[in-house]
Amino acid sequence: MVIKIFEAFMIFVFMTPLLGVLIWTYFCPEESLLWGKRWMYKEEPELSEGAIRYTKIASLIAIVVLTIIFGALVFSLFAD
């Protein structure tokens, strides 16, 4: 039982930062697209609406899929 709790805790520890980055990407797609790349431009680049929309949709899909996967993993640990 202790090992299952530890596995669930480790899943939570690895899931939280990943979901945090995906939530940040959903709410601030312009910032996330330019993160680590601002030094390449003299001025602030203008991002297209399509790129922003794609980033938001991709992050939303990733949030839903990862939540389902990690939820299934945690529930399968305690199903035995």
Side-chain angles (χ1 to χ4, degrees):
M1 184 67 175
V2 173
I3 293 175
K4 290 182 180 185
I5 293 173
F6 177 73
E7 288 177 3
F9 176 74
M10 291 305 294
I11 290 172
F12 178 76
V13 165
F14 288 117
M15 178 182 70
T16 303
L18 183 59
L19 285 177
V21 168
L22 288 170
I23 290 170
W24 172 69
T25 300
Y26 180 77
F27 286 112
C28 303
E30 297 92 355
E31 293 293 320
S32 67
L33 282 171
L34 293 174
W35 186 59
K37 297 178 185 164
R38 290 189 190 273
W39 63 271
M40 296 169 46
Y41 306 104
K42 289 184 179 182
E43 299 176 0
E44 187 76 17
E46 189 170 328
L47 301 170
S48 68
E49 290 296 319
I52 294 170
R53 190 177 321 115
Y54 174 76
T55 303
K56 288 184 81 162
I57 291 171
S59 65
L60 184 62
I61 291 171
I63 289 168
V64 171
V65 169
L66 287 177
T67 302
I68 291 170
I69 289 172
F70 288 132
L73 284 173
V74 169
F75 286 124
S76 71
L77 288 174
F78 295 107
D80 295 335

